[in-house]
Amino acid sequence: MRTLILGGTTFDHIVTLPELPAPQPQTIHRAPFHEGTGSTGAGKALALTKLGLPVTLYSAVGDDAYGRHIVADLRAQGVEAHYVLDPAGTERHINLMDAQGRRISLFITQASPTLAFDHAQVAGLIRASACVVLNIISYCQPLIPLLRDYPHPIWTDLHDYDGHNPYHQPFIEAAHYIHLSSDNLPDYRPVMQQLRAAGKRLVVCTHGAAGATLLTAQGQWLEQAAVPAPAVVDSNGAGDNFFAGFLFGFLRQEPLQKCLQYATLCGNWCVGAFGLVDPQLSSSRLEAAWQQHFGNA
């Protein structure tokens, strides 16, 4: 079952500080950083590829050094990808991180909201897939009409959706399965229930170190505690690894609780490694860790 991931490649500059800076003028003399491929499409594609699932990524890069880095990096890690060139250049972020993994993201350049897609090519990629992940990137919104008669599951990740932002609505309407976080939803259950009432087949809400909550179309609630990470090295990509671990289990028709357990293990490993994905991620390691943590439950 080939999964098509639409959108989400950036070049990120990640600065790690003991704590996020206070809102006042200051000079910070020690600010370790690393940089490389980022964003939600790349994170999901890398994690699913390492888990052994056939994946195609369709995304945007600029004709610049940052875009060439992304293309070469994902190719070297085995990700099958197709790109549309963005005349605005490659989108770039500066992510300020603290020791707990909290993040402030600064979009220092942004992708164009619409791009000159080859609609025949995208339609062909859609037809060749058995699952689509529609990321909430501006340039993906014009692709939604191509999914109108798509007969297979469509997933989206709403990230820090607040329950009201109209920007997310076209993506919500297009998707059958929803992931989101409770970062901006202190009262997340009513929003999950609203999504279920709108016909969504599954809603998953992540809570960082507090675990995750799942609501089925039948109204069943499932809870899953997080597996504590031994150390927070880089939390960028943790949500995408959680998503990938869940989808990996779901496509294998595992019980939903096991899908959540796979997801939390993948998110845990991502937090403990630099980059968008733990280099040691694999389906065999995931299954062995699941047996260790949950197999006797």
Side-chain angles (χ1 to χ4, degrees), residues 146-178:
L146 297 178
L147 297 169
R148 194 155 288 148
D149 298 319
Y150 184 68
H152 304 302
I154 301 172
W155 297 68
T156 196
D157 183 352
L158 302 180
H159 296 275
D160 56 356
Y161 177 54
D162 63 2
H164 306 288
N165 191 336
Y167 173 84
H168 297 79
Q169 196 57 39
F171 301 94
I172 293 171
E173 291 174 359
H176 310 117
Y177 299 87
I178 304 283

Side-chain angles (χ1 to χ4, degrees), residues 207-230:
H207 318 302
T213 302
L214 181 151
L215 177 61
T216 70
Q218 295 74 36
Q220 179 187 11
W221 292 93
L222 296 177
E223 299 288 344
Q224 179 60 52
V227 176

Side-chain angles (χ1 to χ4, degrees), residues 2 4-9 55-61 71 74 79-85 117 121-122 124-125 139:
R2 178 163 294 275
L4 173 63
I5 299 174
L6 295 175
T9 44
V55 175
T56 301
L57 171 66
Y58 186 83
S59 193
V61 296
V71 172
L74 294 181
V79 175
E80 179 182 315
H82 302 266
Y83 301 96
V84 58
L85 283 181
F117 291 108
Q121 180 191 29
V122 179
L125 294 173
Y139 58 74

Side-chain angles (χ1 to χ4, degrees), residues 51-130:
L51 288 170
L53 294 184
V55 175
T56 301
L57 171 66
Y58 186 83
S59 193
V61 296
D63 183 14
D64 49 36
Y66 305 109
R68 288 187 284 275
H69 171 94
I70 291 168
V71 172
D73 181 31
L74 294 181
R75 182 190 301 124
Q77 297 192 67
V79 175
E80 179 182 315
H82 302 266
Y83 301 96
V84 58
L85 283 181
D86 188 341
T90 301
E91 183 169 315
R92 293 163 57 202
H93 301 167
I94 295 176
N95 293 343
L96 304 182
M97 313 295 302
D98 70 6
Q100 288 74 47
R102 294 176 297 186
R103 176 177 63 194
I104 297 175
S105 291
L106 310 175
F107 286 40
I108 56 174
T109 66
Q110 295 200 15
S112 300
T114 58
L115 293 168
F117 291 108
D118 182 337
H119 282 240
Q121 180 191 29
V122 179
L125 294 173
I126 291 170
R127 287 193 301 271
S129 68

Side-chain angles (χ1 to χ4, degrees), residues 159-201:
H159 296 275
D160 56 356
Y161 177 54
D162 63 2
H164 306 288
N165 191 336
Y167 173 84
H168 297 79
Q169 196 57 39
F171 301 94
I172 293 171
E173 291 174 359
H176 310 117
Y177 299 87
I178 304 283
H179 277 239
L180 71 162
S181 83
S182 60
D183 287 353
N184 288 329
L185 284 174
D187 193 13
Y188 56 87
R189 285 194 172 223
V191 173
M192 296 176 72
Q193 289 170 323
Q194 290 167 14
L195 292 167
R196 171 183 173 248
K200 305 311 164 188
R201 301 172 190 171

